[in-house]
Amino acid sequence: MPFVSHAQNTAPSAARTTARTTPTAQLRPVPQEYVHKLDAAEVLLTGWAPAGEDRVTVTARWPRGHAFYAPVTGRHDPMLLAETLRQSIPLISHALYDVPLGHHLIWQHFTFEVAPGAMFLDVGPMDVELRIACGDIARRGGRLAALTMDIEILRDGRHLGTAHTRFSSHAPAIYRRLRGDRCTPSGDTTPAGPPAPPALVARAHAKDVVLSPTPLPLSLPHQWQLRVDQTHPILFDHPVDHAPGMLLLEAARQAAHAVQDPLGGAVFPIRFESAFFRYVEFDAPCVITAHVEPSAYPEGHLGVSVTALQEDNEAFSCRVTLARATQ
């Protein structure tokens, strides 16, 4: 399983910085279609500006409250950072590398970490700045085929987090060949399976639970089926032909909460190390399994490894690091 070692940080240096943020006057607007969101209210990015060769600054605004990514233990939900980074991928692809609209952008791996002390809620929304360096750029026929992003995230010039990700870009014809008869976005709105208890996965509402109990006699401890609700307005903002990456990350987060008993009490996710191996399809069950990693973490921290298995193939893996909410 190609996890990044917990001790090895592949993201940019987490050293604190007091550098000035990019002046607003230099920022360019973010076209809604460049972040692949149909609902304008869900666009988190507010501007972007080139910052050198293969470098770009992106700004975003996080609401104090969000219908899905609600505050966690008095802090902004770290999944807001994940969604901000996800929106930055198509923005950079279209704005900086001239990737045409309609090309398919696919995650290969994604690691991000937040500084809990910088995630506190304040009055009103929170502005963040992403300083992104692009590298390992591959092209096919003159078009972008893949690249890696290293990101430093700031809040008012203060270190907020880091991230490291790689994704690939596929023209529609290539994507159709890759996906075959599963290329067409699903119109299936069959009701999702029963949700796991919301409190178990740190959710307030059953509609936001993405894990279902596995059917008996297959049920095992710390194992669920991925609950795919294509009517969910946030996770399924637009038609897609496979489970979105943000759905899988949310499943990893919820599974980690469900097995975090060794820490006891409220916890806060601080690090996600994920790898995407295969598309998770809508027409077959996907089994989510989690187990606690008992060692190699500082006091008050816990690692949980989560895997997604579909048709006997590992499709996704993620290591989630949790910290006691008091830290």
Side-chain angles (χ1 to χ4, degrees):
M1 196 179 304
F3 279 125
V4 178
S5 165
H6 181 74
Q8 175 188 4
N9 187 356
T10 61
S13 170
R16 304 300 190 258
T17 177
T18 57
R20 285 183 172 273
T21 57
T22 301
T24 303
Q26 296 181 13
L27 295 173
R28 304 178 185 183
V30 176
Q32 182 179 337
E33 62 270 23
Y34 276 21
V35 299
H36 298 183
K37 277 290 186 183
L38 293 182
D39 185 353
E42 293 303 317
V43 177
L44 300 176
L45 306 189
T46 55
W48 72 280
E53 185 176 1
D54 296 317
R55 292 179 176 270
V56 62
T57 296
V58 175
T59 57
R61 174 165 290 181
W62 296 352
R64 193 175 190 278
H66 189 276
F68 184 62
Y69 302 121
V72 180
T73 66
R75 300 177 175 95
H76 286 281
D77 186 345
M79 295 299 283
L80 276 174
L81 177 55
E83 174 59 22
T84 300
L85 296 169
R86 188 214 60 78
Q87 292 185 19
S88 299
I89 288 174
L91 170 66
I92 288 173
S93 299
H94 300 312
L96 207 62
Y97 293 100
D98 298 319
V99 171
L101 294 172
H103 281 222
H104 297 264
L105 307 174
I106 306 298
W107 254 329
Q108 295 180 10
H109 56 77
F110 178 35
T111 294
F112 71 96
E113 183 169 1
V114 299
M119 295 287 284
F120 62 90
L121 292 173
D122 206 345
V123 293
M126 184 175 93
D127 292 322
V128 298
E129 178 178 320
L130 283 67
R131 297 179 179 177
I132 303 173
C134 302
D136 297 328
I137 300 170
R139 289 181 170 83
R140 183 188 304 112
R143 293 283 188 193
L144 180 71
L147 65 76
T148 298
M149 293 163 48
D150 287 295
I151 308 108
E152 180 185 14
I153 305 101
L154 307 174
R155 174 184 188 172
D156 296 327
R158 175 184 179 181
H159 172 77
L160 178 69
T162 54
H164 176 84
T165 188
R166 185 167 180 81
F167 67 93
S168 57
S169 173
H170 304 285
I174 294 174
Y175 187 75
R176 285 194 296 270
R177 288 199 296 272
L178 287 172
R179 299 291 287 134
D181 58 5
R182 282 171 156 166
C183 182
T184 304
S186 174
D188 181 13
T189 55
T190 302
L200 177 70
V201 297
R203 276 294 178 182
H205 306 290
K207 64 182 178 61
D208 293 331
V209 175
V210 301
L211 302 177
S212 288
T214 51
L216 294 173
L218 301 178
S219 183
L220 295 172
H222 301 162
Q223 190 172 88
W224 305 267
Q225 281 191 190
L226 182 66
R227 184 172 183 264
V228 180
D229 179 5
Q230 294 189 59
T231 68
H232 196 283
I234 308 301
L235 293 171
F236 289 89
D237 167 83
H238 54 276
V240 290
D241 63 9
H242 60 275
M246 288 300 296
L247 172 61
L248 298 174
L249 287 170
E250 179 63 25
R253 186 255 286 272
Q254 292 188 17
H257 274 285
V259 302
Q260 59 85 23
D261 285 347
L263 281 185
V267 296
F268 187 75
I270 61 171
R271 183 175 173 89
F272 290 73
E273 304 163 63
S274 55
F276 301 81
F277 305 117
R278 306 173 66 90
Y279 300 98
V280 173
E281 310 293 354
F282 294 137
D283 58 2
C286 178
V287 177
I288 305 294
T289 304
H291 70 270
V292 171
E293 299 179 346
S295 61
Y297 289 87
E299 179 69 23
H301 291 68
L302 185 73
V304 180
S305 288
V306 181
T307 59
L309 194 71
Q310 187 173 60
E311 297 178 328
D312 296 325
N313 294 305
E314 185 177 17
F316 166 78
S317 63
C318 186
R319 176 186 288 142
V320 182
T321 304
L322 302 169
R324 286 198 184 100
T326 54
Q327 296 190 346

